[in-house]
Amino acid sequence: MTNVLTTGSCTADQYDLSCGTGTDLGTQQLTLLSALLDPTTRTVLRSLQPKENARYLEVGAGNGSIAEMMAADFGGSVLAVDKDVTNLGASPGVDVVHHDVHNGVPIGPFDLIHARLVLAHLSARRRVFAQLVEQLAPGGWLVIADVGVAAELLVAPEESDHAVWRRYNHAAYQRLGPEVDCDYGWADRTEVEMFGAGLADVAAQHLVPLARGGGPWTSYHLNLSLQNEEGLLATGLRREDLDRYRTMLTDPEFRARFFSLTYTTGRKPTA
């Protein structure tokens, strides 16, 4: 299938399959995630009222959009780390470091630590989580955002698409996901983990976006199917099902819920 996804400076409302220019799937994924998730992330972070001139850690910084926002809105300094810094450029107040948190979390203390779509994809998530808590300054905030699987097809262009949807989701989330250490139940457990770690003021916000055919969420999932094509087919998913799934995502009649998204926040006690 021809890759029709492209990158650009689009908002979630503007993003479709032909927005912008470019061909790299990894860059496209980060652009889509910024368009889809940054507004909610900004709202969550601003609600915590971070203190001025604080020290921040952005784990899995992606294309740097949230690190740049924190530096611009809150002042202070932001340490942005990722194991792939290809899409991370220099910006005022942001220090970029090539680093895999599997090898340890950067030394704090940090007044706010943010990790979006990171821990659910780590085999050592509980160890990394404990290290993040350890590197919080007293009174500092930990913000974890991760996904769970909703997998609810609401409107299918054709009746047979329901079976295609089930087969694709089985391959993606019950076969391929666990093989690459994804834990789609982690997001729902993060609140309990924060309480168990002794954090205070713990709260969780659970979102289940509705996706329409040809819209930003379906563009994102089309991108994922392209990036993971080899692995999906290796699970036994049929080529015709994969092709039909991709066609379905572009149909204006299509409506579904793919993922749930949970933002969990907790504060390290001052005493």
Side-chain angles (χ1 to χ4, degrees):
M1 178 177 178
T2 301
N3 172 22
V4 295
L5 276 172
T6 54
T7 59
S9 56
C10 308
T11 68
D13 289 338
Q14 297 169 327
Y15 213 104
D16 60 27
L17 296 178
S18 59
C19 184
T21 59
T23 57
D24 179 72
L25 288 172
T27 300
Q28 292 161 2
Q29 180 185 5
L30 295 176
T31 301
L32 282 161
L33 283 174
S34 291
L36 289 162
L37 303 183
D38 280 7
T40 301
T41 300
R42 288 189 176 98
T43 298
V44 170
L45 295 180
R46 288 170 179 166
S47 73
L48 302 178
Q49 299 181 333
K51 64 183 183 181
E52 294 183 358
N53 300 317
R55 191 177 182 211
Y56 307 99
L57 175 63
E58 172 75 351
V59 179
N63 62 8
S65 61
I66 293 301
E68 292 175 12
M69 183 276 293
M70 286 194 290
D73 285 11
F74 307 143
S77 62
V78 181
L79 180 61
V81 302
D82 205 307
K83 64 180 181 180
D84 181 359
V85 296
T86 304
N87 295 283
L88 278 171
S91 60
V94 179
D95 293 321
V96 174
V97 175
H98 176 261
H99 180 70
D100 186 345
V101 292
H102 264 127
N103 299 322
V105 170
I107 302 299
F110 297 99
D111 298 290
L112 188 149
I113 298 174
H114 174 249
R116 187 175 75 187
L117 307 189
V118 175
L119 294 185
H121 300 279
L122 299 180
S123 58
R125 63 187 61 85
R126 296 197 69 181
R127 172 172 58 80
V128 173
F129 172 82
Q131 292 175 351
L132 293 175
V133 173
E134 183 179 355
Q135 297 307 323
L136 280 174
W141 287 96
L142 179 60
V143 182
I144 303 291
D146 268 310
V147 294
V149 178
E152 183 181 9
L153 179 55
L154 301 174
V155 180
E158 298 180 8
E159 185 60 34
S160 59
D161 289 336
H162 287 276
V164 173
W165 173 263
R166 288 192 296 271
R167 288 192 291 267
Y168 180 90
N169 282 285
H170 176 80
Y173 306 124
Q174 297 183 39
R175 295 286 305 279
L176 185 59
E179 287 178 8
V180 295
D181 294 319
C182 288
D183 182 351
Y184 295 110
W186 167 261
D188 289 336
R189 299 197 306 273
T190 304
E191 183 182 30
V192 173
E193 296 287 342
M194 286 195 181
F195 278 119
L199 297 186
D201 302 322
V202 176
Q205 180 180 165
H206 188 73
L207 309 172
V208 187
L210 175 63
R212 60 177 175 79
W217 275 110
T218 49
S219 297
Y220 173 71
H221 284 275
L222 176 55
N223 176 287
L224 291 184
S225 80
L226 291 164
Q227 290 194 69
N228 295 297
E229 177 173 309
E230 183 177 343
L232 288 164
L233 294 175
T235 69
L237 182 68
R238 299 180 301 181
R239 163 62 68 179
E240 54 265 38
D241 283 339
L242 181 56
D243 290 343
R244 178 58 198 168
Y245 173 82
R246 290 169 175 167
T247 299
M248 196 191 322
L249 299 192
T250 68
D251 193 305
E253 294 185 7
F254 175 88
R255 295 290 185 277
R257 294 186 176 97
F258 291 93
F259 282 158
S260 62
L261 182 70
T262 303
Y263 283 83
T264 310
T265 58
R267 182 178 56 82
K268 194 167 190 175
T270 55

